[in-house]
Amino acid sequence: MKIKKREFDIGDIVIDLHRRLRIESYKGDEMSFVYIDEVQDLSISQIALFKYVCQNTEEGFIFCGDTAQTIANGIDFRFQDIKSLFYKKFLFVPNRSSYNKAWEKAKSLNVFLLNHNFCTHAGVLKLSQSIIDLLLHFFPYSIDVLKPETSFIHGEAPIVLECENAENAFATIFGRSGSQGGKIVGFGAEQAILVRDDSARKEVLDYVGKHALVLTILECKGLEFQDALLYNFFGSSPLRNRWRVIYEYTKEFDMLESKELMPYPCYNDSIHNILCLELKQLYVAITRTRQRLWIYETGDEFSRPMLDYWKKKGVIQFKGLNDSLAQTMKVASNEEEWKSIGIKLYNQDNYDMATFCFERAEDFYWERKSKAASLRASAKHLRDMNPKDANAMFMEAAQIYEGIGMVNAAAECFSDSGDHERAGKLYLKNCDLKRAGDCFYLAKCYELAAQVYNRGNFFSDCLTVCEKGGLFDTGLDYIRQWKQSNHAGFIMVGRHDVNTIEQTFLERCARNCLYLKDTSSMMKYVRAFHSLKLQREFLQ
């Protein structure tokens, strides 16, 4: 399918990089030490690319991550696989007797377990560990076997909120939000509602409006909040009633009375294999909070197996959602706090939620900047499928960037929208002569492009655009100017000096006149050749 559509993915890029680095070798700066965080999001093949930039295999690499958070598509990472990788890709040299030594080195790689958590309290850690237990039971090869995390911080067990429907739940929490003492009340900057996907986000935003930050689980990965509300994770799960396979685990470990059990399916890899990713996503969502975690489900049909499991382990509590509890959930945040989280989201390319934060921070510059970035990202995504709408988005983004003084970003968007002339004028205003000339060339404003290239001493580009635009006499005038200014003969432009560039242009002009049978004009260019020898060779 990819070949048919002439498409490629990140895996294809990695394969191509390996191929080219093997053939051409790495020519960039070498590094002595490499530290990779969130390493579980990389494939083994991606990690292997680092062998080209760092030869210090003895002590030059540190990998840090959590294999329970492997939710990237196509990645199934474990730290024990790193040892095999180092042996095969970093240390092993074919046809040498030292391969045993290389394997010994690989086996001796140090693994440090960072199992004391300084941010999250023990109640949340117990809940997350219950998910690790299920992963180790159903998918023992998908995760490293590590000691449970510990914490000296105390906090209440995560709360399952009980309310008859979502509309009432959100109305209870946010229905009377307002402002107190100059601070915005609702959910604060260090609080978030976590949902499965964009569809669930839209559903929640319809309820809460601009009273809370709403993020998908994938978006919130790498972020932490003081409090988090996990919304309808099981109700929106593709597993649906197959979550009942959890009862197999609870029965095996005598966690439920037989009279409490309803019929449940036995684990089947072809039916329940998606459970691994579901558990890891649930783990990521739960570990986003440092203090309070609330869980709300719109119904109990699909959530009941996990809630029964957690209830039996004593890692959750159930509370009815009322006005009193809702008031304790809300936290006020000031503008600086909203701006801070907005910048974090902006740097993670989550422009829509970043824009929301900057609105709450009342920071006009960052709000407009984030809005433009969102339009630009959407336009790039749409460009192949719907060029007309994409160009309109590029144009809107360009106007926003121009309005807040981000000239280069505005010019790039104008150029992407097809308005190369306007982009060129902005680059010219910003004294970026090369880009200005390139845009005028694309806009077919050849004379203006030649003038700009000439100002920037981009000789080759200047003469190329003169030839393309049929500005032969203009090009000849520029050549005479350069000679008078004593540049010719010693200024290097790329791989060719100015003389070579000029000679090539003059020959093409002469040949064009010859083709038009205008020998009088032809001789004008021939006489400008750099030597009598070149003139004779051309005339012969």
Side-chain angles (χ1 to χ4, degrees):
M1 191 185 296
K2 284 191 296 182
I3 292 170
K4 185 177 179 181
K5 294 183 178 181
R6 299 180 63 82
E7 293 178 346
F8 56 89
D9 61 18
I10 189 67
D12 298 314
I13 293 172
V14 173
I15 291 168
D16 186 60
L17 283 170
H18 276 291
R19 181 187 62 81
R20 286 193 283 146
L21 288 166
R22 279 197 305 269
I23 296 170
E24 303 170 22
S25 75
Y26 175 70
K27 297 180 177 63
D29 294 333
E30 289 199 2
M31 301 181 188
S32 300
F33 297 91
V34 174
Y35 178 96
I36 304 174
D37 197 14
E38 302 288 358
V39 68
Q40 76 276 354
D41 292 337
L42 300 177
S43 68
I44 292 295
S45 189
Q46 286 173 307
I47 297 169
L49 285 172
F50 286 94
K51 70 179 181 179
Y52 298 104
V53 301
C54 180
Q55 301 298 317
N56 182 15
T57 55
E58 296 288 331
E59 55 181 7
F61 288 89
I62 296 178
F63 303 101
C64 186
D66 180 353
T67 49
Q69 295 190 40
T70 309
I71 61 174
N73 285 333
I75 307 295
D76 196 13
F77 177 90
R78 295 180 304 167
F79 274 95
Q80 55 186 291
D81 297 329
I82 291 282
K83 292 187 177 183
S84 176
L85 169 72
F86 256 75
Y87 170 64
K88 292 178 181 177
K89 301 294 184 182
F90 287 70
L91 300 171
F92 178 65
V93 181
N95 302 321
R96 293 198 183 171
S97 59
S98 60
Y99 69 93
N100 283 329
K101 189 177 179 182
W103 178 237
E104 289 302 318
K105 283 184 181 177
K107 287 198 295 183
S108 67
L109 291 172
N110 293 319
V111 177
F112 298 95
L113 305 182
L114 307 177
N115 57 1
H116 186 83
N117 195 309
F118 293 91
C119 298
T120 307
H121 66 75
V124 173
L125 295 182
K126 287 178 182 177
L127 186 65
S128 63
Q129 183 59 40
S130 72
I131 299 170
I132 299 292
D133 294 340
L134 292 174
L135 281 167
L136 289 171
H137 175 76
F138 289 109
F139 308 97
Y141 299 109
S142 72
I143 187 172
D144 291 298
V145 181
L146 305 174
K147 292 180 180 178
E149 280 189 271
T150 59
S151 174
F152 294 134
I153 306 170
H154 296 286
E156 65 175 352
I159 297 171
V160 177
L161 299 173
E162 296 178 318
C163 190
E164 59 184 70
N165 60 56
E167 186 174 0
N168 286 347
F170 287 120
T172 302
I173 299 171
F174 300 104
R176 283 171 286 282
S177 294
S179 63
Q180 294 178 358
K183 294 188 175 183
I184 301 165
V185 177
F187 264 16
E190 285 293 332
Q191 297 178 292
I193 300 175
L194 308 182
V195 295
R196 176 178 295 275
D197 50 31
D198 285 327
S199 174
R201 191 212 317 264
K202 185 178 183 303
E203 178 187 340
V204 172
L205 286 174
D206 286 343
Y207 291 130
V208 305
K210 295 187 176 182
H211 287 308
L213 186 62
V214 185
L215 298 171
T216 66
I217 295 171
L218 196 59
E219 289 171 344
C220 73
K221 194 169 178 297
L223 297 173
E224 283 187 330
F225 298 91
Q226 199 69 12
D227 306 319
L229 167 60
L230 178 58
Y231 174 74
N232 205 31
F233 178 84
F234 301 102
S236 58
S237 170
L239 267 176
R240 301 181 70 76
N241 60 10
R242 284 174 287 171
W243 279 102
R244 295 189 59 76
V245 75
I246 299 300
Y247 286 126
E248 179 185 295
Y249 178 90
T250 56
K251 184 178 181 183
E252 183 175 336
F253 288 88
D254 296 324
M255 295 176 64
L256 289 175
E257 300 291 335
S258 57
K259 62 182 180 182
E260 295 180 282
L261 278 175
M262 294 175 64
Y264 63 88
C266 293
Y267 177 80
N268 183 305
D269 187 57
S270 62
I271 297 173
H272 299 100
N273 60 347
I274 196 176
L275 176 64
C276 182
L277 180 59
E278 286 293 289
L279 289 171
K280 287 188 175 184
Q281 287 197 79
L282 182 58
Y283 177 87
V284 169
I286 285 171
T287 54
R288 293 314 90 200
T289 182
R290 292 189 292 268
Q291 282 297 320
R292 298 184 294 178
L293 174 67
W294 305 291
I295 298 170
Y296 178 76
E297 289 290 322
T298 55
D300 64 357
E301 181 183 0
F302 306 133
S303 62
R304 183 50 52 193
M306 279 298 289
L307 295 182
D308 285 343
Y309 166 62
W310 282 337
K311 184 178 179 181
K312 198 67 178 179
K313 289 191 80 104
V315 294
I316 57 172
Q317 54 181 318
F318 295 82
K319 286 188 178 181
L321 181 57
N322 53 36
D323 289 341
S324 176
L325 176 59
Q327 283 301 113
T328 66
M329 292 171 68
K330 291 181 285 190
V331 175
S333 290
N334 60 33
E335 285 79 4
E336 282 303 312
E337 289 168 334
W338 279 110
K339 182 177 178 180
S340 177
I341 193 66
I343 291 173
K344 285 182 184 178
L345 291 168
Y346 181 91
N347 290 334
Q348 289 196 341
D349 302 333
N350 191 341
Y351 303 119
D352 290 336
M353 285 294 103
T355 302
F356 162 77
C357 291
F358 297 132
E359 287 176 1
R360 296 290 293 266
E362 298 182 2
D363 190 309
F364 176 79
Y365 173 81
W366 271 100
E367 178 195 337
R368 302 304 289 159
K369 179 180 177 180
S370 190
K371 172 68 174 175
S374 175
L375 286 165
R376 189 179 186 182
S378 299
K380 286 180 178 179
H381 182 70
L382 269 180
R383 186 154 38 189
D384 292 334
M385 297 176 286
N386 192 335
K388 185 178 178 181
D389 286 353
N391 286 344
M393 288 180 179
F394 277 128
M395 187 67 72
E396 186 179 351
Q399 290 166 348
I400 294 173
Y401 278 133
E402 190 176 14
I404 59 174
M406 294 183 65
V407 177
N408 272 12
E412 288 170 9
C413 288
F414 278 128
S415 185
D416 285 335
S417 74
D419 194 344
H420 301 296
E421 185 175 357
R422 192 167 176 181
K425 289 176 181 177
L426 283 177
Y427 282 129
L428 190 59
K429 180 181 178 181
N430 215 31
C431 296
D432 191 339
L433 298 179
K434 180 66 170 70
R435 285 186 174 183
D438 291 345
C439 286
F440 290 133
Y441 176 55
L442 289 171
K444 298 183 179 179
C445 302
Y446 298 122
E447 191 167 354
L448 185 54
Q451 290 173 14
V452 173
Y453 283 138
N454 179 50
R455 278 177 56 187
N457 291 331
F458 300 109
F459 307 116
S460 179
D461 295 309
C462 180
L463 294 180
T464 297
V465 80
C466 285
E467 182 185 352
K468 179 73 175 178
L471 307 172
F472 303 119
D473 287 347
T474 302
L476 182 58
D477 288 340
Y478 284 135
I479 289 172
R480 287 169 178 161
Q481 289 176 26
W482 298 336
K483 285 182 177 178
Q484 290 172 4
S485 61
N486 295 320
H487 279 283
F490 62 86
I491 292 180
M492 298 300 294
V493 183
R495 297 179 181 178
H496 304 283
D497 62 20
V498 174
N499 281 341
T500 304
I501 294 168
E502 292 173 355
Q503 182 62 33
T504 302
F505 173 76
L506 292 168
E507 286 184 10
R508 287 173 177 169
C509 292
R511 287 183 184 279
N512 183 68
C513 293
L514 180 63
Y515 175 75
L516 297 173
K517 299 182 179 179
D518 184 356
T519 52
S520 175
S521 295
M522 180 191 77
M523 288 308 298
K524 176 172 57 175
Y525 299 108
V526 171
R527 290 190 188 97
F529 283 10
H530 288 282
S531 69
L532 283 171
K533 181 175 178 291
L534 291 170
Q535 292 177 12
R536 291 193 192 100
E537 287 175 354
F538 178 84
L539 291 171
Q540 286 171 353

